[in-house]
Amino acid sequence: MSLTRRDFARTSAITGAGVALAGSVGALATAPNALASYDTDSAEDATDAGRGVGYGPLVPDPDGILALPAGFTYKIITYSGRTKLESGEFTPSNHDGTAAFDGPRGTTLLVNNHELKGPRANWKHPVPLTDGLVYDPAASGGCTVVEVRPDGRVAEWVGIAGTSTNCAGGATPWGTWLTCEENSDRAGTNGMTKDHGYVFEVDPVDRRANRDPKPLKFFGRYDHEAVVIDPRRGHAYLTEDDDEPNGLFYRWTPPKGFAYGPGKFRELADDAGVLQAPKCFDSGGRFVDDLSRATRTGTVYGVDWVDVPDRDARATPVRKQFADGEVTRARKLEGMWWGDGGAYIVSSYAREESPGRHDGQVWFYDPRRRTLTLKVLLGVNPDPSEDGAFDGPDNITVSPYGGIVLAEDGEGVSHLFGATDSGRTYPIARNDLNVGTEEEPEYSEFAGVTFSPDGKTLYANIQDPGILVAITGPWKRQKK
């Protein structure tokens, strides 16, 4: 059933559902403990209101890798070019999206994406072409599975190889990982022998299930970023990181009677289900062309869904198949995570290509109400080289201690940071590993932020050179 603009406007007026119309541009905050969008009279009031949030200031790391709050420690799990796979090759580089699963005999299993684009010769440590696990032998990306044992020992092996630019992805309710290609090269382009731009399923427990990788073409062919599964309704939601025009997020509805489970996606036809893009409107019934129009947290948009004409983009990229006024776009749609009965969706930034500017938005899609609510809004960071402000959120996870945790992929200093349910932000970690020079320091993005199944360990990746770390400490429930 379509949720019409009139229905949404009437519901908003009756319920008073906290709708904040976009329009007036207020002051925006990026500093720790400040509101992501000021809803107090001054910056001083906002900072005062946020006291008690987080874990305190970050302490520089004498080893120059990871600054953490007092009482927290980290352990390196894998390190590209240093640690090795079971097969003897070095851990691949460019760590990205990750999820953690309960493994056998008390182990934790992590599926780790490696965002490697283009021919294998371009990279010193591509994902090894393991027999039976290769999609396209010309491609350099893929996933590894990392097993962390109760005694601290670590093993790592290939989950899938021969894919391209494995960026984010998403865990399924049945314990597998959906890895997403953020590259849609056709066969014959950049040396590729097969079409790319697809989603693949990786089973961290059953290695046999990963043999003969099959692209899940029903999710569409485009520059995928992340995916989540609604465990109740069965929909999949996916983000696209692209521009000219800005990308979209999508909803996939499974065919009637489809039963989810490990390996079930392989049984579906390439055109199974229905892929749709969003069309948003505000409480006044006005169409919203781009999510950057929202300038205050608490903004709520109604969402309708429009069918994608050609999901495999045989002639025209999916996002270009829609005319102006048909769908709602956003720049740099990145990480997603399912929690609190809906999907958290990240837009990393917006600049001249968009109607509005920001350095990060986090939206929450409520499938029951079919609404998008802006939860976190980061103003443009005036000086990314200075510590103390956040910009460019990318990967996201829902914290067992309340709120969300985000991995920065912005400019300058790079952080892991948390945001409470009310949008207040606080630092968790800072990347102190300088991969540039002393004169021109450079700090790689964080990625793959995810908690262990028991909630005691926060795993995260430093993409360059490719380091997976495990962070432990006195976690506590955060105030709203």
Side-chain angles (χ1 to χ4, degrees), residues 33-232:
N33 286 335
L35 291 170
S37 176
Y38 286 155
D39 59 5
T40 54
D41 292 335
S42 68
E44 182 179 358
D45 291 338
T47 302
D48 288 343
R51 286 176 181 167
V53 172
Y55 300 96
L58 302 178
V59 180
D61 180 8
D63 293 329
I65 295 178
L66 201 64
L68 296 169
F72 284 79
T73 59
Y74 71 90
K75 177 182 178 181
I76 293 175
I77 305 299
T78 67
Y79 197 131
S80 180
R82 297 188 185 182
T83 57
K84 290 189 176 182
L85 308 180
E86 287 183 341
S87 51
E89 297 98 340
F90 283 116
T91 295
S93 62
N94 289 59
H95 297 30
D96 210 291
T98 304
F101 305 88
D102 280 320
R105 299 176 296 279
T107 61
T108 297
L109 296 174
L110 300 111
V111 186
N112 204 11
N113 278 358
H114 297 277
E115 191 182 18
L116 298 161
K117 180 180 180 179
R120 300 181 62 80
N122 291 355
W123 302 98
K124 186 176 181 180
H125 300 298
V127 178
L129 297 177
T130 303
D131 185 47
L133 301 177
V134 179
Y135 170 65
D136 180 351
S140 50
C143 298
T144 54
V145 181
V146 181
E147 181 184 66
V148 181
R149 298 167 182 167
D151 62 4
R153 290 183 298 160
V154 174
E156 185 178 16
W157 58 88
V158 172
I160 187 173
T163 50
S164 178
T165 325
N166 298 69
C167 197
T172 69
W174 51 92
T176 61
W177 172 250
L178 297 175
T179 183
C180 296
E181 291 188 303
E182 193 191 353
N183 174 260
S184 47
D185 282 343
R186 286 287 197 188
T189 304
N190 293 325
M192 298 298 103
T193 66
K194 292 186 177 181
D195 290 347
H196 292 270
Y198 296 117
V199 178
F200 297 79
E201 187 171 21
V202 177
D203 193 319
V205 176
D206 185 357
R207 302 194 194 194
R208 295 171 299 177
N210 299 326
R211 297 188 66 82
D212 302 319
K214 179 184 178 180
L216 307 180
K217 294 186 176 182
F218 47 82
F219 285 146
R221 193 184 71 82
Y222 47 89
D223 285 8
H224 285 270
E225 183 67 33
V227 56
V228 296
I229 304 291
D230 180 341
R232 180 178 178 185

Side-chain angles (χ1 to χ4, degrees), residues 30 85 99 129 171 174 195 232 237 267 318 386 455 463:
T30 60
L85 308 180
L129 297 177
W174 51 92
D195 290 347
R232 180 178 178 185
Y237 296 92
E267 301 172 5
V318 173
E386 291 292 325
Q463 186 171 88

Side-chain angles (χ1 to χ4, degrees), residues 31 60 101-102 110 114 120 128 178 215 235 242 263 267 274 298-299 318 333 383 392 404 417 428:
F101 305 88
D102 280 320
L110 300 111
H114 297 277
R120 300 181 62 80
L178 297 175
H235 294 113
D242 219 324
E267 301 172 5
V274 179
T299 297
V318 173
L333 287 165
D383 188 357
I404 55 179
F417 68 97
I428 295 175

Side-chain angles (χ1 to χ4, degrees), residues 345-365:
I345 305 168
V346 176
S347 170
S348 285
Y349 63 79
R351 290 294 187 272
E352 292 80 3
E353 77 291 325
S354 304
R357 296 187 183 190
H358 61 76
D359 257 339
Q361 294 178 330
V362 180
W363 293 86
F364 179 78
Y365 178 71

Side-chain angles (χ1 to χ4, degrees), residues 453-464:
D454 64 9
K456 295 179 179 179
T457 303
L458 179 66
Y459 293 99
N461 294 317
I462 298 174
Q463 186 171 88
D464 183 11

Side-chain angles (χ1 to χ4, degrees), residues 291-374:
L291 294 182
S292 67
R293 296 281 186 189
T295 61
R296 289 192 178 275
T297 55
T299 297
V300 179
Y301 293 144
V303 182
D304 214 343
W305 295 97
V306 183
D307 289 359
V308 170
D310 172 22
R311 74 182 82 184
D312 203 49
R314 289 180 291 270
T316 305
V318 173
R319 72 187 187 286
K320 294 184 178 181
Q321 295 173 23
F322 298 97
D324 291 346
E326 289 186 328
V327 292
T328 300
R329 303 180 183 276
R331 181 70 172 101
K332 199 74 177 163
L333 287 165
E334 296 275 0
M336 302 179 78
W337 201 269
W338 185 269
D340 304 321
Y344 287 90
I345 305 168
V346 176
S347 170
S348 285
Y349 63 79
R351 290 294 187 272
E352 292 80 3
E353 77 291 325
S354 304
R357 296 187 183 190
H358 61 76
D359 257 339
Q361 294 178 330
V362 180
W363 293 86
F364 179 78
Y365 178 71
D366 183 336
R368 183 179 62 84
R369 295 179 60 213
R370 276 183 286 172
T371 55
L372 272 173
T373 301
L374 184 58

